[in-house]
Amino acid sequence: MAKILIVEDENKIARFVELELKYEGYEVEIAGDGRQGFEKAMHEDIDLVILDIMLPGLSGIEVCRRVRQEGKQVPIIMLTAKDDVTDKVAGLDMGADDYMTKPFAIEELLARIRVALNRHSNVGTKTEILQYGKLVINLSSHTVTYDKEEITLTKKEFQLLEYLLKNKNIAMTREQLLNNVWDYEYLGDTNVVDVYVRYLRQKIDDKY
């Protein structure tokens, strides 16, 4: 079974999640601050990280940024106490796979863990190339080019662009994009979709 790292400075929350994960059969490691969490994420055999944003030492955003900067692609689920789109977008921009707002239902967290682990286990099996005019997405290497010039996208921007190209010429609602790109039935502010569409336009449409 997968080994999960919980990076959380609130002992009660960390212990509660640890017990639930162990009950489901996962192995669990715990870190109480950002620096310890970063070290464990980088140097131990971890399959998924549950990462609080508000941490002593290093913030969750900074931990996520450093992990991705070092090239480690372990799935990361961010936890935030604030229902703030800015925090969520910042975490996703740093390479997080998903986020949850405290308080959360453990059943939902478990579902998102399963989705993230399943997606990660399928990485490298895709060899498909998506193309629309001069825009090319390589699903194997996770690269995007326009007229052979590479465009740098965050992980969530890449996933959104991939979904849009797979459904080109089809009108998609915000709810459909949230459900399929963010992997769960989103019940909050749909503004996050507009934010990411704007990012893509700035990097692709406005540039070319």
Side-chain angles (χ1 to χ4, degrees), residues 35-48:
R35 294 188 185 280
Q36 185 185 28
F38 173 70
E39 290 299 320
K40 285 181 174 289
M42 290 305 303
H43 302 300
E44 296 190 23
D45 186 18
I46 301 297
D47 296 296
L48 182 140

Side-chain angles (χ1 to χ4, degrees), residues 16 32 37 46 54 59 62 73-74 83 85 87 90-91 115-116 122-123 127 131-132 158-160 190-191 200:
F16 169 69
I46 301 297
M54 302 296 290
S59 72
E62 181 62 15
Q73 296 304 311
V74 60
D83 190 11
V85 171
D87 271 354
V115 168
N122 291 328
V123 170
T127 56
Q131 184 167 1
Y132 186 78
F158 184 94
Q159 291 169 354
L160 176 58
T190 60
N191 183 57
L200 288 178

